[in-house]
Amino acid sequence: MKETHRVVLLPSGRQGDVQHNTTILEAARSLGVDIESICGGRQVCGKCLVAPEYGQFAKHGITSDETNVTPPDAVEVTYAEQNGLNLNECRLSCAAHLLGDMVINVPERSLARKQAIRKAAGELAVEVDPVCRLAYVEIESAELGSKSDWHRIKQALATQHGIEGVSIDPLLLPRLQKTLRDGKWSVTIVVWNDEQVISVYPGYSEQIYGLAVDVGSTTLAGHLCDLRTGEVLATTSIMNPQVRYGEDLMSRVSFGMMNSNGVDRMHKAVVKALNDLAAAAAEEAGIATDDIVDVVLAGNTVMHHLLLGIDPVELGGAPFALAMEDAIDIRARDLGLNAIARGGMVHVLPCIAGHVGADNTAVLLASHHTFKEDVVDLIVDIGTNAEILLAHNGQVTSASSPTGPAFEGAQIKHGQRAATGAIERVRIDPATGEPRYKVIGDERWSNDLADDETLSPTGICGSGIIEAIAEMYLVGMIDTTGLFTPHAIESNPLVRMNGKTGEMILVPADKSANGEAIVVTQQDIRAIQLAKAALYAGVKLLMDHMAVTTLGRIRLAGGFGSYIDPKYAMILGLVPDCDLERIGAVGNAAGDGARLALLSQEQRALAQTLVEAVQYVETAVEPAFQELFVAAMGIPHATDAYPHLLHLLPAVAVHGSGEAEPRRKGGRRRRRAT
Amino acid sequence: MKETHRVVLLPSGRQGDVQHNTTILEAARSLGVDIESICGGRQVCGKCLVAPEYGQFAKHGITSDETNVTPPDAVEVTYAEQNGLNLNECRLSCAAHLLGDMVINVPERSLARKQAIRKAAGELAVEVDPVCRLAYVEIESAELGSKSDWHRIKQALATQHGIEGVSIDPLLLPRLQKTLRDGKWSVTIVVWNDEQVISVYPGYSEQIYGLAVDVGSTTLAGHLCDLRTGEVLATTSIMNPQVRYGEDLMSRVSFGMMNSNGVDRMHKAVVKALNDLAAAAAEEAGIATDDIVDVVLAGNTVMHHLLLGIDPVELGGAPFALAMEDAIDIRARDLGLNAIARGGMVHVLPCIAGHVGADNTAVLLASHHTFKEDVVDLIVDIGTNAEILLAHNGQVTSASSPTGPAFEGAQIKHGQRAATGAIERVRIDPATGEPRYKVIGDERWSNDLADDETLSPTGICGSGIIEAIAEMYLVGMIDTTGLFTPHAIESNPLVRMNGKTGEMILVPADKSANGEAIVVTQQDIRAIQLAKAALYAGVKLLMDHMAVTTLGRIRLAGGFGSYIDPKYAMILGLVPDCDLERIGAVGNAAGDGARLALLSQEQRALAQTLVEAVQYVETAVEPAFQELFVAAMGIPHATDAYPHLLHLLPAVAVHGSGEAEPRRKGGRRRRRAT
């Protein structure tokens, strides 16, 4: 009898020699193929199924014989009967010992680190290897002279799973003895970071869930994931209840300053929303909230501070000092997040700088692998502030531009959030000067309706106002400074003076939802000009810092970034020139990044590393920023800084028919709109 | 100029060569003399004062010249003026740099690890080196582009104090920025275990306090200590409010079983008592409760479990499984202990076994250093259970004997706790058979009063009942089986039948507090016999296990152990034979041990090590225990197992005048009695 046997693992092709009588589980691990095993080889979990291949394998010089593996014992036979397994085709790799050479097929679902595909971008695969993991242990019953129940569990974690020196959340101790007895001296343990037991189930369990949340100023968007498989079980959004304390971030900073317990109220409001979100997601997924053991949070710096109960007042003015930028692990209950497991943990992603928060870290985490050495890559997340990441030659710079909330429909006379009834698309006939529009929740253009029909718009959302102003410019209704032209005021009945400034009637009173005409005012145009100039100046500032003159790719993150038509964004001059084909949305990249950090401890650590390498440029004090800002106020298509746009302009002007509008996901839109 | 200079430190005599221009602080540290410095060498705290000696030191071959140390700079001069220091006599060792050879006197109060003397036993010195320590840091103010406030503090902890990679309790973040600005960019940090910041003060502070508590079934006794100096600032006791749920431990276990939220009620009650104790101790010491950052708890296993909110039901029957015996670090707020610093920590000492708790660990920690290889050393802590430690030849065994609460005055007809009015001493005239007694709170014997005076006793406490029964035996009122003798019943008017059994009138009705005669009944005698037999059998069992036949020393721990007269304990047979001179009380050894673990991280770690080396013997299932127990029921002075007692008996019988009563501390007694 040979002392060692050759093992070939398919489909990886990994092979090597292992000791006689090694289990297939151990053999595979020793060859670098990590097979899943919750029960630590006790033939309970059935996660480690493999298919031994029998026959001659000339390629490997192996005869893989049935007698080269131990036959199933009574436990394995019982397991197979109860679970409908054919032991001729597959075996529990923890039970089958190697007696000779073998070729073994390890199916994907038996791998410890499963591949999770990031659906949104469809391009990133991550190995599911979260900070929290399951371990099933069986211990001896308590006898006179036994060590304590916890001591024996701790020993079992070491001997059965190789997890050494682990502690237990003291608040689990009250329930430990009953749980252990309910499980007849077996429990399934959730271990955090191989350091601490944070949950205990009686007997065998596969329940281990996590929640990744992008805490936006307006919306909290969460993914509830199975931490064993990486699967997304529910995607749930909830309004940020802080909105009642101020639409934009600076209003919330002020609220905290003006009200003695304002910070605490905002903190408690967002924590309550997190609790509600966790409960809603768990209900949607049909799981118990107690089984959620880990939460990853991303948010801008003001959200970050309010989440942690920190007064954001220092972020309201120079020098914009953060209390803390590093990643934080905090006990969920310390945060007041009680809708998850009692011992559950929260990981708050790190911030980059005073105005570039953990949401941007998440965006960076979700996209950094797509950066190319020779491409100047711009990622913009447009909200109340626009957070800008510019990557080139392995270096990433970042800045935050104070766009204000105009892009979100605030500070616009008939502006509103993107919700059912909001005008999201606008076209103006160059010949007649007549506008038509589409509203969220309806696929029809306003001019395709019968006379007695109306879309009953309630207002204009960010993408709508951008298209309206760009179209007004394209048809000559406003000039390059943004002012209504005398010609338009004289000749177009839909353009009128209101006091000293002009406005365009986009929807007549009898067609709107509330019987009032929806107009685009001179002030609206000015607000958008200020916002877009800020965004443009921020990007330009970073380009100057990196000494690059052209952009190779632009990606727009966040909700607004998904809805905006890049063509119109460029006509208005929100972003510098770029090949239109190279401008795209990346959806909820912040949410994707948070999910990566939830599913993979490696990605979680990487977030901190990435953040530390980012070079931050403070727009607030760069004299160049002010210059760039002022210079960017005009509506720029006539300038020679937009070669890609000039090339496209005739098409824009002639067609403008909406065919080019960006693809969007109806599901998400509908969820947002309800 | 020499590259290195010779430094001699007095009084230690340590010497060596250090680099030119080293500070005296650094020089001393490099030579193994750790000088205290809260401010990390910033000339703020003044803790590092030393006295350079100037002159010829032939013995060391050194000329210690004034020019061999840098003169004071402006900061040091200012510090000296503000604090009334004479810089000719002493210097801040962090400010004075060495330019040549020096002899330097380092006073005791400037040492980092001060010596704290354990007052109670007066024999143990401990180096004050607690798990929590202070660090004063100054950081740069926040500027544009600065790292976060916490990041800069963390860096300062590393560079100014050598504390690397420390985290911060996330719940301190909300107050961090304001504290830092209040302190004008300087803060004093409390670091726990060199791992985590658990408290932050604005500017310079020396406030760092800790509380060591022996959580007894009846009383919580706490020492509030200055963690910088080791000084005890307050010693405070409070009743354990769990008493209302059951006098003895088994009643509390039952209460938890019989009431759906009984465990939670008992847990909350003891936590509330801890909060009250912390508040009372802080008030007594004149400090703020927020400045208490660390708490060490000791208690028997039932108290240990209830402290942690664990149902002690498993401790109520075999196999007496503990949920957890290891030492536990738990956030005070997780325990509901909110009367201390928000980030404060609690350390619960480890337990030894199902019936030998953390209180015994503390006793062991406080006394193990006194064990001698060739002496058989017995330490007994008498409460509802008697916990027994027997040490010999470097080995420690332990057991717990179910004495029941008789020694605490329970299960005794007129028994009561040791409080004002309780009879604590009893003598019976061998000629007349008339008893006399003393009560707690009065120094006089009952027979020394005028006829119209009375001590108005309210009942009999543990030491009183033991003396009463022992004296009854000595005068022949009861026999060796504990029964009243026919002769006594016939001839002594104070001995009467009550139904089928006898009783002795200790206090006639007209002399007692409530007008009812205080008697010692046959049942009382039986209860004490059962209790003493259990204690004796436990000790004997351990002696048999260790194969020793005689005891070299007996120490009685706890309150009861302090009050009991060893002579009477031995006449009744509570403990095996021992030279009476070698029997003594060790006072609140559990409290002393808890204090050691509070003041020294080394002692804290040692507690766990000691516990792991103890051999536990389970009395409940040892057949030998039952045999020993039955055999020990008799009152044994006539046996030949008490050679020391036989020798002393005439003295006992003849004098019996009370001169030999054990010394006690009036202060403690008075506190207990109020």
Side-chain angles (χ1 to χ4, degrees):
Chain A
M1 191 179 67
K2 286 199 299 175
E3 294 263 312
T4 63
H5 310 298
R6 174 128 295 232
V7 174
V8 179
L9 298 168
L10 301 179
S12 69
R14 289 194 185 232
Q15 53 181 295
D17 295 329
V18 301
Q19 292 291 314
H20 179 74
N21 210 33
T22 307
T23 64
I24 295 177
L25 180 69
E26 286 305 320
R29 283 187 179 165
S30 73
L31 298 177
V33 175
D34 206 0
I35 293 179
E36 185 176 14
S37 173
I38 296 175
C39 71
R42 305 184 86 80
Q43 307 185 41
V44 171
C45 72
K47 293 284 171 275
C48 68
L49 284 179
V50 294
E53 305 278 343
Y54 305 119
Q56 298 277 346
F57 291 83
K59 181 180 161 196
H60 302 295
I62 283 182
T63 302
S64 183
D65 202 290
E66 253 180 297
T67 59
N68 284 356
V69 63
T70 51
D73 63 9
V75 179
E76 193 177 359
V77 167
T78 305
Y79 182 87
E81 280 169 8
Q82 287 172 347
N83 293 276
L85 295 184
N86 179 346
L87 289 176
N88 292 321
E89 287 170 6
C90 63
R91 294 290 305 275
L92 290 171
S93 69
C94 66
H97 293 66
L98 291 163
L99 306 176
D101 298 344
M102 283 297 297
V103 172
I104 296 155
N105 216 323
V106 182
E108 160 73 18
R109 70 182 144 73
S110 294
L111 290 176
R113 300 175 179 210
K114 304 189 197 315
Q115 302 291 310
I117 305 299
R118 188 159 67 95
K119 290 171 192 166
E123 48 181 302
L124 176 65
V126 63
E127 270 192 353
V128 179
D129 183 24
V131 170
C132 294
R133 64 154 151 154
L134 287 170
Y136 167 85
V137 294
E138 291 174 359
I139 66 169
E140 298 286 319
S141 61
E143 304 292 343
L144 279 165
S146 288
K147 285 289 193 173
S148 71
D149 289 339
W150 161 246
H151 192 98
R152 297 189 331 277
I153 291 172
K154 188 174 162 181
Q155 280 182 323
L157 281 170
T159 57
Q160 294 170 26
H161 292 274
I163 307 175
E164 305 267 358
V166 74
S167 67
I168 182 168
D169 174 11
L171 294 205
L172 300 185
L173 290 173
R175 283 192 282 192
L176 185 68
Q177 293 192 298
K178 180 155 193 317
T179 304
L180 188 55
R181 282 152 185 81
D182 287 349
K184 298 192 172 59
W185 307 104
S186 72
V187 283
T188 304
I189 301 277
V190 178
V191 185
W192 179 84
N193 207 28
D194 278 4
E195 270 180 31
Q196 189 170 63
V197 172
I198 62 168
S199 195
V200 183
Y201 299 104
Y204 177 74
S205 168
E206 293 180 7
Q207 318 299 315
I208 182 165
Y209 306 109
L211 190 63
V213 186
D214 176 23
V215 181
S217 317
T218 309
T219 309
L220 281 69
H223 294 298
L224 179 67
C225 299
D226 186 325
L227 294 185
R228 199 176 65 74
T229 63
E231 192 187 346
V232 176
L233 302 179
T235 298
T236 313
S237 292
I238 197 168
M239 286 288 294
N240 187 334
Q242 290 176 345
V243 166
R244 83 176 72 106
Y245 306 115
E247 281 266 346
D248 60 291
L249 295 177
M250 282 309 120
S251 310
R252 294 189 207 166
V253 172
S254 300
F255 183 83
M257 291 166 69
M258 309 301 281
N259 296 274
S260 65
N261 61 348
V263 171
D264 195 49
R265 281 161 71 186
M266 290 189 283
H267 168 64
K268 293 214 167 95
V270 73
V271 168
K272 179 178 183 303
L274 280 173
N275 278 316
D276 292 347
L277 181 70
E283 193 182 340
E284 189 182 329
I287 67 155
T289 50
D290 273 358
D291 297 344
I292 303 175
V293 292
D294 199 14
V295 175
V296 172
L297 300 179
N300 61 54
T301 51
V302 173
M303 288 305 102
H304 174 276
H305 275 40
L306 286 175
L307 269 172
L308 293 166
I310 306 168
D311 190 338
V313 61
E314 296 294 332
L315 302 174
F320 313 105
L322 287 164
M324 162 81 133
E325 73 276 86
D326 292 344
I328 302 171
D329 291 311
I330 179 170
R331 192 75 68 173
R333 61 176 178 257
D334 274 344
L335 211 54
L337 183 50
N338 298 319
I340 72 166
R342 186 158 168 72
M345 292 294 294
V346 172
H347 180 84
V348 185
L349 285 169
C351 294
I352 296 174
H355 285 130
V356 184
D359 50 350
N360 260 69
T361 302
V363 168
L364 181 60
L365 184 63
S367 50
H368 73 97
H369 65 286
T370 66
F371 296 157
K372 293 193 182 118
E373 285 282 316
D374 53 346
V375 173
V376 181
D377 229 317
L378 174 69
I379 301 182
V380 179
D381 194 349
I382 300 169
T384 303
N385 285 284
E387 283 109 27
I388 307 163
L389 293 169
L390 191 69
H392 187 227
N393 278 340
Q395 178 62 45
V396 179
T397 55
S398 98
S400 173
S401 271
T403 51
F407 289 146
E408 295 180 314
Q411 298 180 352
I412 301 295
K413 183 165 185 181
H414 289 111
Q416 69 159 89
R417 261 186 245 123
T420 304
I423 293 169
E424 55 165 347
R425 302 269 163 248
V426 175
R427 298 291 181 274
I428 302 178
D429 188 305
T432 66
E434 266 189 81
R436 58 200 173 97
Y437 52 87
K438 282 171 72 171
V439 302
I440 294 175
D442 204 311
E443 288 301 305
R444 299 169 299 172
W445 283 94
S446 59
N447 61 335
D448 291 339
L449 304 176
D451 280 351
D452 58 344
E453 285 181 311
T454 171
L455 294 172
S456 294
T458 53
I460 320 173
C461 72
S463 61
I465 192 76
I466 287 192
E467 296 197 1
I469 296 172
E471 285 278 323
M472 287 158 78
Y473 173 73
L474 288 175
V475 301
M477 199 182 283
I478 57 175
D479 64 20
T480 189
T481 70
L483 288 172
F484 282 95
T485 58
H487 175 261
I489 294 168
E490 280 163 26
S491 64
N492 190 333
L494 295 173
V495 179
R496 64 187 185 194
M497 291 301 285
N498 183 350
K500 289 183 178 173
T501 57
E503 63 183 26
M504 179 194 77
I505 300 166
L506 178 55
V507 182
D510 62 336
K511 297 287 189 191
S512 82
N514 68 354
E516 194 186 328
I518 295 174
V519 300
V520 178
T521 70
Q522 189 68 64
Q523 279 82 355
D524 295 344
I525 298 167
R526 191 60 65 194
I528 291 293
Q529 281 179 285
L530 287 167
K532 71 106 185 180
L535 173 54
Y536 179 91
V539 175
K540 264 302 206 197
L541 186 71
L542 287 189
M543 290 172 72
D544 291 350
H545 262 266
M546 289 197 118
V548 298
T549 52
T550 55
L551 296 176
R553 180 161 61 163
I554 299 178
R555 278 173 291 181
L556 304 170
F560 179 73
S562 301
Y563 304 140
I564 196 172
D565 185 332
K567 191 169 57 186
Y568 289 99
M570 211 187 288
I571 288 168
L572 272 197
L574 269 67
V575 286
D577 186 56
C578 183
D579 183 347
L580 268 182
E581 300 288 313
R582 305 298 310 270
I583 305 181
V586 286
N588 184 7
D592 289 336
R595 189 150 60 92
L596 287 177
L598 177 68
L599 294 181
S600 159
Q601 49 186 319
E602 189 185 356
Q603 292 287 319
R604 192 176 288 195
L606 183 60
Q608 181 73 36
T609 313
L610 288 172
V611 158
E612 287 168 10
V614 171
Q615 238 191 346
Y616 176 67
V617 178
E618 178 57 63
T619 56
V621 291
E622 280 272 350
F625 179 80
Q626 284 306 316
E627 288 165 29
L628 289 164
F629 174 73
V630 171
M633 285 288 286
I635 299 179
H637 103 258
T639 77
D640 61 357
Y642 280 87
H644 284 103
L645 191 61
L646 284 172
H647 173 70
L648 285 162
L649 264 186
V652 174
V654 173
H655 303 312
S657 59
E659 297 87 341
E661 80 184 76
R663 191 168 53 83
R664 64 163 64 104
K665 282 162 289 171
R668 163 169 295 179
R669 166 55 57 87
R670 245 171 264 124
R671 180 164 293 119
R672 241 186 113 128
T674 52
Chain B
M1 192 177 67
K2 285 200 298 176
E3 295 263 312
T4 62
H5 311 298
R6 173 127 297 231
V7 176
V8 179
L9 300 168
L10 301 177
S12 69
R14 289 195 185 231
Q15 54 180 295
D17 296 328
V18 300
Q19 291 291 313
H20 179 73
N21 211 33
T22 307
T23 64
I24 295 177
L25 179 69
E26 285 306 318
R29 283 187 179 167
S30 74
L31 298 176
V33 174
D34 206 359
I35 293 179
E36 185 176 14
S37 174
I38 295 175
C39 72
R42 305 184 86 80
Q43 306 184 41
V44 172
C45 71
K47 293 284 171 275
C48 67
L49 285 179
V50 295
E53 305 279 343
Y54 305 119
Q56 299 277 346
F57 292 82
K59 179 179 162 197
H60 303 294
I62 285 181
T63 302
S64 183
D65 202 291
E66 252 180 300
T67 60
N68 284 356
V69 62
T70 52
D73 63 10
V75 179
E76 193 177 357
V77 168
T78 306
Y79 183 87
E81 281 168 7
Q82 288 173 346
N83 294 276
L85 295 184
N86 180 346
L87 289 176
N88 293 321
E89 288 171 5
C90 63
R91 294 289 305 275
L92 291 171
S93 68
C94 66
H97 292 66
L98 291 162
L99 307 176
D101 299 342
M102 284 298 298
V103 172
I104 297 155
N105 216 323
V106 182
E108 160 72 17
R109 70 182 145 72
S110 294
L111 291 176
R113 300 176 178 208
K114 303 187 196 319
Q115 302 291 311
I117 306 298
R118 188 160 67 94
K119 290 172 191 165
E123 48 182 301
L124 176 66
V126 63
E127 269 193 354
V128 179
D129 183 23
V131 171
C132 293
R133 64 155 153 153
L134 288 169
Y136 167 84
V137 294
E138 292 174 0
I139 66 169
E140 298 286 318
S141 62
E143 304 292 341
L144 278 164
S146 288
K147 285 289 194 175
S148 71
D149 289 339
W150 161 246
H151 191 99
R152 299 191 326 281
I153 291 172
K154 188 175 163 181
Q155 280 182 323
L157 282 170
T159 57
Q160 294 170 27
H161 293 274
I163 308 175
E164 305 267 357
V166 74
S167 67
I168 182 169
D169 174 10
L171 294 205
L172 300 185
L173 290 172
R175 284 192 282 192
L176 184 68
Q177 293 192 299
K178 180 153 193 318
T179 304
L180 189 55
R181 283 152 185 80
D182 286 350
K184 298 193 170 59
W185 307 104
S186 73
V187 282
T188 304
I189 300 278
V190 178
V191 184
W192 179 83
N193 207 27
D194 278 4
E195 270 179 32
Q196 189 170 61
V197 172
I198 63 166
S199 195
V200 183
Y201 299 104
Y204 177 74
S205 168
E206 293 180 7
Q207 317 301 312
I208 183 167
Y209 306 109
L211 191 63
V213 185
D214 176 24
V215 181
S217 317
T218 309
T219 309
L220 281 69
H223 293 299
L224 180 67
C225 299
D226 186 324
L227 294 184
R228 198 176 66 73
T229 63
E231 193 187 346
V232 177
L233 303 178
T235 297
T236 313
S237 292
I238 197 168
M239 285 289 293
N240 188 335
Q242 289 176 346
V243 167
R244 83 175 71 105
Y245 305 115
E247 282 265 347
D248 61 291
L249 295 176
M250 283 310 121
S251 310
R252 294 189 207 166
V253 172
S254 300
F255 183 83
M257 290 167 71
M258 308 302 280
N259 295 274
S260 65
N261 61 347
V263 172
D264 195 48
R265 281 161 72 186
M266 290 189 283
H267 168 65
K268 293 214 167 95
V270 72
V271 168
K272 180 177 183 303
L274 280 173
N275 279 316
D276 292 346
L277 181 70
E283 193 182 339
E284 188 182 330
I287 67 154
T289 50
D290 273 359
D291 297 344
I292 303 175
V293 292
D294 199 14
V295 174
V296 171
L297 301 179
N300 62 54
T301 51
V302 173
M303 288 304 102
H304 174 277
H305 275 40
L306 287 174
L307 269 172
L308 293 165
I310 305 169
D311 190 340
V313 62
E314 296 293 334
L315 302 175
F320 313 106
L322 287 163
M324 162 83 134
E325 73 275 87
D326 292 344
I328 302 172
D329 291 311
I330 179 171
R331 193 74 71 172
R333 61 176 178 258
D334 275 344
L335 211 54
L337 184 50
N338 299 318
I340 71 166
R342 187 159 167 72
M345 293 294 293
V346 172
H347 180 83
V348 184
L349 285 170
C351 294
I352 295 174
H355 284 131
V356 185
D359 50 351
N360 259 69
T361 302
V363 168
L364 181 59
L365 184 63
S367 51
H368 73 97
H369 66 285
T370 66
F371 296 157
K372 294 193 181 118
E373 284 283 314
D374 52 347
V375 174
V376 181
D377 228 319
L378 174 68
I379 301 182
V380 179
D381 195 349
I382 299 168
T384 303
N385 285 285
E387 284 108 27
I388 308 163
L389 292 169
L390 190 69
H392 187 227
N393 277 341
Q395 178 61 46
V396 179
T397 54
S398 97
S400 173
S401 271
T403 50
F407 289 146
E408 295 178 315
Q411 297 179 352
I412 301 295
K413 182 164 185 180
H414 291 112
Q416 69 160 88
R417 259 186 246 121
T420 304
I423 294 169
E424 55 166 347
R425 301 268 162 250
V426 176
R427 299 290 180 275
I428 303 178
D429 188 306
T432 66
E434 265 189 80
R436 56 199 174 98
Y437 52 86
K438 282 172 73 172
V439 301
I440 295 176
D442 205 312
E443 288 301 305
R444 299 170 298 172
W445 284 95
S446 58
N447 61 335
D448 291 339
L449 305 175
D451 279 353
D452 59 343
E453 286 182 310
T454 170
L455 295 172
S456 294
T458 52
I460 319 173
C461 72
S463 61
I465 192 77
I466 285 188
E467 297 197 2
I469 296 172
E471 287 277 323
M472 288 158 78
Y473 174 73
L474 288 175
V475 301
M477 199 182 283
I478 56 176
D479 64 19
T480 191
T481 69
L483 288 173
F484 282 95
T485 60
H487 175 259
I489 296 169
E490 282 164 25
S491 64
N492 190 334
L494 295 173
V495 177
R496 66 187 183 195
M497 291 303 283
N498 184 350
K500 290 183 180 173
T501 57
E503 64 184 24
M504 178 193 77
I505 300 166
L506 179 53
V507 182
D510 63 336
K511 297 287 188 189
S512 82
N514 69 354
E516 193 186 330
I518 294 175
V519 300
V520 178
T521 70
Q522 189 69 65
Q523 279 82 357
D524 295 344
I525 298 167
R526 191 60 64 193
I528 291 293
Q529 280 179 285
L530 287 167
K532 71 106 184 177
L535 173 54
Y536 179 90
V539 175
K540 264 301 204 198
L541 187 70
L542 288 189
M543 289 172 72
D544 291 349
H545 262 266
M546 289 196 119
V548 296
T549 51
T550 54
L551 297 176
R553 181 160 59 164
I554 299 178
R555 278 173 291 181
L556 304 169
F560 179 72
S562 301
Y563 304 139
I564 195 173
D565 184 331
K567 191 169 55 185
Y568 288 99
M570 210 185 287
I571 289 168
L572 273 197
L574 269 67
V575 287
D577 186 56
C578 182
D579 182 348
L580 269 181
E581 300 288 311
R582 306 298 309 268
I583 305 181
V586 287
N588 184 8
D592 290 336
R595 187 151 61 91
L596 288 178
L598 177 68
L599 294 182
S600 159
Q601 48 187 319
E602 190 185 354
Q603 292 288 319
R604 192 176 289 195
L606 183 59
Q608 181 73 38
T609 313
L610 288 172
V611 158
E612 287 168 10
V614 171
Q615 238 190 346
Y616 176 67
V617 178
E618 177 58 61
T619 56
V621 291
E622 281 271 352
F625 179 80
Q626 285 305 318
E627 288 165 29
L628 290 164
F629 174 73
V630 171
M633 285 287 287
I635 299 179
H637 102 261
T639 77
D640 64 356
Y642 280 88
H644 285 103
L645 191 61
L646 285 173
H647 173 71
L648 285 162
L649 266 186
V652 173
V654 173
H655 302 314
S657 59
E659 296 88 340
E661 78 184 79
R663 192 168 50 85
R664 62 165 64 108
K665 282 162 288 169
R668 163 170 297 179
R669 166 55 57 87
R670 244 170 264 123
R671 180 164 294 118
R672 242 185 112 130
T674 53

